[in-house]
Amino acid sequence: MNGTLWVELVGDLIVARVRGEPSIDLIKDCHEQVLLLARESGRNKILYDTLEMEPPPVSVPMAQWKLNEESGLLPIKRAIVVPTSKLAYLARLAFGDGDYKVFYSDLTAAVNWLSDSNSQ
């Protein structure tokens, strides 16, 4: 199954939903869309919904990590919602030392963490 992508503003959040097995091209597309929406909207909180994503090869999260390093990202806070520990590990590889938190199958907790007024 090829990966599919949906990126949109939902309230104060940018939501990026990835389904299937993502490719490096899909990750690049997601990254570009998220950055564009962040710049245009002034929003800096992103919810990555990967509940329907298949674990990709390690080259895919490493490509995400490289994109983050090269782009000198805006101050962005990310919540990544994953269904498995394997995807949690890959998310940690992808986002490295950035401002993010991984949530296991709990969209509500992720949204609450992003919306916390004490954070960014």
Side-chain angles (χ1 to χ4, degrees), residues 45-72:
K45 297 177 183 178
I46 295 106
L47 173 67
Y48 287 92
D49 175 354
T50 67
L51 290 172
E52 296 180 48
M53 188 172 98
E54 299 295 322
V58 173
S59 60
V60 174
M62 294 311 293
Q64 176 67 58
W65 179 83
K66 188 175 179 181
L67 287 169
N68 293 342
E69 291 294 309
E70 291 173 353
S71 65

Side-chain angles (χ1 to χ4, degrees), residues 5-115:
L5 174 66
W6 177 81
V7 178
E8 190 168 88
L9 277 175
V10 177
D12 289 336
L13 303 177
I14 297 170
V15 177
R17 179 175 293 139
V18 181
R19 294 180 174 153
E21 185 177 324
S23 64
I24 290 174
D25 288 338
L26 184 120
I27 292 301
K28 286 179 182 177
D29 186 27
C30 180
H31 183 77
E32 290 169 6
Q33 287 186 46
V34 165
L35 286 182
L36 180 64
L37 271 177
R39 286 185 186 115
E40 289 180 349
S41 69
R43 305 294 196 288
N44 68 340
K45 297 177 183 178
I46 295 106
L47 173 67
Y48 287 92
D49 175 354
T50 67
L51 290 172
E52 296 180 48
M53 188 172 98
E54 299 295 322
V58 173
S59 60
V60 174
M62 294 311 293
Q64 176 67 58
W65 179 83
K66 188 175 179 181
L67 287 169
N68 293 342
E69 291 294 309
E70 291 173 353
S71 65
L73 285 178
L74 306 165
I76 289 179
K77 182 176 180 177
R78 298 177 184 94
I80 303 106
V81 183
V82 299
T84 65
S85 59
K86 184 172 185 175
L87 280 173
Y89 174 75
L90 293 172
R92 288 180 180 100
L93 285 177
F95 295 105
D97 294 329
D99 185 10
Y100 72 92
K101 187 171 180 180
V102 176
F103 295 85
Y104 288 90
S105 301
D106 195 343
L107 285 167
T108 302
V111 169
N112 288 340
W113 180 76
L114 286 169
S115 300

